[in-house]
Amino acid sequence: MAHTIVIFGASGDLTSRKLIPAIYRLFQKKRLPEGTQIVGVSRSAFEHEAWREQLEVTTKKYVGDAFNDSVWGAFREQIFYQPGDIQEESDFHKLADFLKSIEPEGPVERVYYLSTKPQLYEKAIAQLGAAGLNDDSDGDRRVIIEKPFGTDLASAKALNIATHRVFREDQVYRIDHYLGKETVQNLFVLRFANSIFEPLWNRHFIDHVQITVAEEVPVGRRAGYYETAGVLRDMVQNHLLQLMMITAMEPPARFDADLVRDEKVKVLHSVRPKTGGDFASESVRGQYEGYLQEEGVPKNSQTETFTAVKLHVDNWRWQGVPFYLRSGKAMSCRTTQIVIQFKEAPHLLLGSKTRIPTANQLVIQVQPAEGIQLHFQTKVPDTELKTKLSSLDFRFQQDGGQEGMPDSYQRLLLDAMNGDASLFARSDEVELAWGIIDPLLAAWRSPASPPLQVYPQGEWGPQECTQWMTEQGRQWFDVC
Ligand code: BG6
C-alpha cells in the first residue's frame, strides 16, 4: 500500500540531521514501501525544488560514504514541501488538498511526524483532527510524537488527553530514540534468547545495576532548551528509565507491542515511591564548571547538568537490588553502558577481601563501542593461586558486516510505518515515568536539599558522587 510521511517542523535540525537521512537510507536499502512520499511542512516559504536541494547538501553530510548520487536522484523526486503554520486551521485544509493531489487513488497509509517545538504538539494534533486528517477510513493514520512528551506529570497527562481526542492510542507513537538503538534491542535478545543469563538475573545473584549515559559534549548552544529541562528531564525521564525497564522487566509472552509494554510498565509501578527526605540521600546532582558562562545561561542557574539517582524496584525479582541511574554532560567520554554487578562469591577462598574487584560484572556497552563484556576471575599463570580480572569481550563492530550500526531513526520510522509500536512509549508509561521524576524535582527545589555540586569538565561528575557510592560499599564503573 502507498505511504506518505508528513513531517511537521521540516526546516528544523532533527529533520535534516536524522529524519531525512534515515528515510533516505531505508529507500537505499529498499526497505521503504514502494512509492513512499515525503512531505515537509513548516512556516518558511520554499518550493519543492529548493527544499530538495537543501536536503541534498545536509543528507550528503550526515549520511557520509553511504550517499549515492543516482539513489538520491530517484529519492528526491518523492520529496515535497508544503508551507504551513500550525496555528492556521486553513493551512491544514490546504495540506489535506495537497496530499490528495500527490497521493495515488485508493487507500494510502500516512504517518504524521511531529518534530516541531513541543509547545506546538497539542495544537498540531487538534488541527489534524479539525481538518479530518485523522480519518483512517481510507488507510491507517499514525502520529509520531518526538520527545519531550510533557515537562512533568500534569503536562504529560494533558498532552495524552489532547492526543486521544484526535487519535486512538494504537495510532500514537511516542518516540524515544534510545529504543531504536541496536544494542538496546539486543538487550531483549541477550535476556530472552539465551538461557544462561536469566537464572542469574535477580536478587540472588546481582548486587546492583548501574546505568550510565555519559556525554562528553557540554550544553553549548542548546542552553535555551536545556535551562527548561536539566539532565533529569532531558535524559533520565526517558532514555535512562527506558534502559532500566528493559533491564528489569519480566519476559513478555510474545514480542507484541502491548505485551512488551505491559511488562515495562510493571517495572515503573514497582519503583518505590520516594519522599523528599529519601532523595537527599539517594541522589546527587551537579553542574559542570563553566556552565554558567554558556551563552543564554543565567548567572545564578541551578540547572543540573549531571545526576545520579538510586531507585529501588519493589518486586520479587529485584528486592534489595538498587538501580543506579547516572547521566551528565561534559563528562570524561561519551559512553552509554549498563553494568550488571554480580554479588561476591559466597565464600572467598582466594585473594583479597575487597568486594568490588573480584565480583563478576556483565557490561552491556550501548554506545559507542557497542558490545558486551563479561568480567570474571582467572588464575595468573605461574603463580601459586593469584587471581586477576579477565574478560570475554564481544564487539558488534567485528560482527556487523558492511552496513554497521544503523541509526535509530531508521528502525523506528519503519516500525511506525508498519504499525508496530513495541519500541514506542505508551501513554501510561510516560505518565508513570514522570510520576517518578516529579517528586525528585520537587525535592531538589526544597531548601533542605543538598546543594548542586560543581564538577570539572571531563570528569565522571562531582567528587561527591564517587564518595556517595563508596559510602554504600560500591564503586562506579568509570571506564570509557
Ligand atoms: C537527546 C537529548 O534526547 O539525547 C540530548 O535531548 C542528548 O541532550 C541526546 O545529547 C543523546 O543522544 P545520543 O543518541 O547521542 O546518545
Side-chain angles (χ1 to χ4, degrees):
M1 193 187 293
H3 275 73
T4 309
I5 305 172
V6 183
I7 304 175
F8 294 94
S11 54
D13 178 58
L14 186 77
T15 303
S16 54
R17 200 164 43 86
K18 292 289 184 184
L19 304 184
I20 297 293
I23 303 169
Y24 165 78
R25 290 289 285 137
L26 289 170
F27 176 83
Q28 192 173 27
K29 294 187 215 168
K30 302 193 178 0
R31 303 218 179 129
L32 277 189
E34 189 76 22
T36 297
Q37 315 205 74
I38 301 116
V39 178
V41 181
S42 71
R43 280 188 308 176
S44 328
F46 265 127
E47 296 296 327
H48 303 309
E49 210 37 49
W51 198 44
R52 290 170 184 163
E53 276 166 22
Q54 190 176 309
L55 289 179
E56 180 170 343
V57 176
T58 50
T59 308
K60 249 185 200 158
K61 176 173 160 195
Y62 294 117
V63 159
D65 290 346
F67 189 88
N68 175 295
D69 287 321
S70 79
V71 175
W72 177 263
F75 179 66
R76 75 194 299 283
E77 297 306 313
Q78 297 176 215
I79 303 178
F80 301 90
Y81 186 83
Q82 172 69 16
D85 184 344
I86 303 262
Q87 305 293 350
E88 291 296 329
E89 193 178 323
S90 59
D91 283 355
F92 281 76
H93 290 287
K94 284 185 203 149
L95 173 65
D97 292 342
F98 177 70
L99 291 173
K100 267 200 210 116
S101 76
I102 59 162
E103 285 172 347
E105 289 286 311
V108 175
E109 297 198 1
R110 275 192 214 141
V111 168
Y112 304 112
Y113 200 117
L114 300 190
S115 166
T116 61
K117 282 193 184 140
Q119 300 86 309
L120 295 175
Y121 292 166
E122 269 191 52
K123 188 71 185 173
I125 290 166
Q127 301 279 36
L128 284 168
L133 285 161
N134 57 340
D135 177 1
D136 59 354
S137 54
D138 202 17
D140 288 330
R141 301 287 179 263
R142 305 186 179 104
V143 61
I144 304 183
I145 307 178
E146 254 304 325
K147 76 166 265 264
F149 196 89
T151 53
D152 55 15
L153 178 57
S155 56
K157 274 188 175 162
L159 183 52
N160 273 331
I161 290 170
T163 307
H164 290 152
R165 274 193 207 113
V166 178
F167 293 102
R168 298 181 310 273
E169 179 60 25
D170 65 286
Q171 297 176 289
V172 184
Y173 291 72
R174 297 173 194 77
I175 204 162
D176 183 313
H177 78 279
Y178 266 57
L179 292 178
K181 290 185 192 281
E182 284 290 326
T183 33
V184 175
Q185 290 159 45
N186 188 51
L187 197 50
F188 286 108
V189 177
L190 178 80
R191 289 199 54 201
F192 305 133
N194 293 294
S195 59
I196 61 167
F197 298 112
E198 201 50 27
L200 308 180
W201 212 263
N202 57 53
R203 69 181 186 284
H204 299 298
F205 296 95
I206 295 176
D207 177 75
H208 71 276
V209 176
Q210 296 179 20
I211 301 179
T212 297
V213 182
E215 293 188 273
E216 201 175 356
V217 287
V219 170
R221 304 229 309 261
R222 292 177 73 216
Y225 153 73
Y226 205 77
E227 269 298 296
T228 65
V231 71
L232 199 63
R233 285 190 173 100
D234 186 44
M235 300 294 287
V236 181
Q237 187 273 341
N238 36 74
H239 308 324
L240 279 95
L241 282 178
Q242 286 292 345
L243 296 178
M244 180 177 131
M245 283 185 257
I246 300 172
T247 308
M249 70 193 270
E250 294 301 317
R254 284 190 312 281
F255 201 79
D256 158 282
D258 269 324
L259 296 179
V260 168
R261 295 183 300 176
D262 285 347
E263 295 304 336
K264 284 168 65 193
V265 158
K266 282 186 206 163
V267 175
L268 296 184
H269 275 297
S270 307
V271 171
R272 187 182 305 165
K274 288 192 194 279
T275 64
D278 294 339
F279 278 127
S281 56
E282 304 211 326
S283 72
V284 177
R285 61 191 173 126
Q287 190 183 75
Y288 64 80
E289 246 166 31
Y291 177 71
L292 297 179
Q293 281 76 52
E294 301 278 19
E295 199 185 318
V297 174
K299 294 293 163 252
N300 58 353
S301 169
Q302 287 288 299
T303 302
E304 81 290 350
T305 62
F306 171 93
T307 193
V309 185
K310 182 181 181 183
L311 296 178
H312 303 271
V313 180
D314 283 336
N315 60 22
W316 276 49
R317 189 189 281 266
W318 296 115
Q319 194 54 240
V321 181
F323 281 72
Y324 294 91
L325 273 46
R326 172 176 69 152
S327 183
K329 300 269 186 205
M331 290 178 64
S332 303
C333 58
R334 174 173 183 251
T335 182
T336 297
Q337 52 201 14
I338 302 168
V339 178
I340 310 296
Q341 176 68 61
F342 289 96
K343 289 187 173 171
E344 192 65 77
H347 176 54
L348 286 178
L349 297 175
L350 316 161
S352 80
K353 273 292 231 180
T354 38
R355 229 161 86 75
I356 301 304
T358 58
N360 300 120
Q361 279 174 329
L362 182 70
V363 181
I364 299 150
Q365 298 280 359
V366 175
Q367 61 185 16
E370 293 93 348
I372 299 170
Q373 288 98 46
L374 180 63
H375 301 304
F376 50 90
Q377 296 289 318
T378 54
K379 179 177 176 292
V380 179
D382 205 17
T383 63
E384 200 181 327
L385 260 183
K386 209 168 157 201
T387 63
K388 70 175 169 84
L389 205 60
S390 305
S391 312
L392 286 176
D393 190 353
F394 162 74
R395 304 270 168 175
F396 271 96
Q397 228 175 10
Q398 293 154 3
D399 204 52
Q402 258 192 329
E403 290 289 315
M405 301 298 252
D407 186 78
S408 334
Y409 282 90
Q410 290 181 34
R411 169 68 196 258
L412 295 175
L413 273 160
L414 203 56
D415 278 3
M417 291 174 79
N418 291 331
D420 181 353
S422 311
L423 297 176
F424 292 83
R426 209 167 56 187
S427 55
D428 49 349
E429 198 174 330
V430 256
E431 290 183 14
L432 284 161
W434 279 119
I436 294 169
I437 297 303
D438 276 5
L440 179 50
L441 284 167
W444 282 353
R445 265 184 245 118
S446 107
S449 164
L452 193 67
Q453 311 289 350
V454 174
Y455 61 97
Q457 295 196 28
E459 304 253 318
W460 287 94
Q463 194 48 43
E464 288 75 4
C465 188
T466 311
Q467 211 177 311
W468 175 64
M469 203 60 158
T470 314
E471 282 161 11
Q472 299 172 62
R474 300 191 168 110
Q475 197 173 302
W476 289 111
F477 184 78
D478 288 345
V479 179
C480 282

